[in-house]
Structures are given as structure tokens and as C-alpha cells.
Amino acid sequence: MATITPVRAVNKEVVTWTWTGVSTADTMVATDPFYGSSIVRGSAQITGTAGGGTFTLSASNDGVTYATLKDTGGSAITTTAAATWFEFETSAVYFKPTASGGAGDDMNFVLSFRVY
């Protein structure tokens, strides 16, 4: 069981956070990508080997209580397959992917954000 800390990259007005080599036994560290910005539009890409696990993107305003984030169509951002793409718009402060169940998984979570 590892604790996975995301790596931050900035390309002009786009901020990207990446958690790599995630298994369902790992804990992902939450991120506060905007440091005080209000509303963001973002995308979540989940790639790798799913191994039967469930992978979810959660959001929080206090960094303690998280709820599953919904995409722009109103569906929960959760999947059991790799190579999945979601788009969302939110004013949440913190973001954290979670993984549960499965075995033999090796996933990557990439979140990209634009501030509006």
C-alpha cells in the first residue's frame, strides 16, 4: 500500500495533476489545484490496467468530506475500465481520486483544469 502524491504541471492557463502507478491498495493525496480560484472546467482521464477495480473522482470544499464528482452530463465520475474520459465544471476546492476492489491494477489519473 503506497501513498501516491500527484505531480503538477502548468502549460499557460492549464493546470494538470497526475497520479501514476495507482493500485486499489494505494491512497491518493488530494490536491488544491487553484489556490483560491472560483469556477473551473476540467477533464479527468483514467488510463492503464483496471484489473477489476473501481476508480472514482471525488471533490470537497473542506478537504475532509468528499463526494463523488459528476460530469457535465450529471453522471458520477467513476469507472471500472481504463482509457475513460470525463469532463466537469465545479467550484469545489479539493480533488482526490480513489480506487477500490480489483487486483493486478496499475492506473494513471490525469486531471486537467482551466479557470474561468
Side-chain angles (χ1 to χ4, degrees):
M1 175 183 220
T3 299
I4 310 295
T5 302
V7 175
R8 180 177 188 251
V10 178
N11 183 2
K12 299 181 184 174
E13 75 278 1
V14 178
V15 177
T16 302
W17 290 92
T18 304
W19 293 257
T20 58
V22 174
S23 79
T24 51
D26 297 333
T27 301
M28 276 68 75
V29 174
T31 184
D32 172 6
F34 307 108
Y35 312 109
S37 298
S38 56
I39 296 177
V40 299
R41 186 148 178 97
S43 63
Q45 183 176 13
I46 304 168
T47 62
T49 303
T54 300
F55 303 89
T56 303
L57 179 60
S58 299
S60 172
N61 286 331
D62 63 8
V64 176
T65 305
Y66 285 84
T68 301
L69 192 61
K70 295 189 176 180
D71 66 17
T72 54
S75 299
I77 298 179
T78 187
T79 186
T80 57
T84 305
W85 180 271
F86 301 94
E87 290 199 33
F88 57 90
E89 188 169 348
T90 184
S91 57
V93 179
Y94 301 95
F95 299 87
K96 179 170 72 171
T98 58
S100 61
D105 37 25
D106 184 9
M107 301 295 288
N108 301 309
F109 290 85
V110 179
L111 302 182
S112 294
F113 302 96
R114 291 182 186 268
V115 179
Y116 290 96

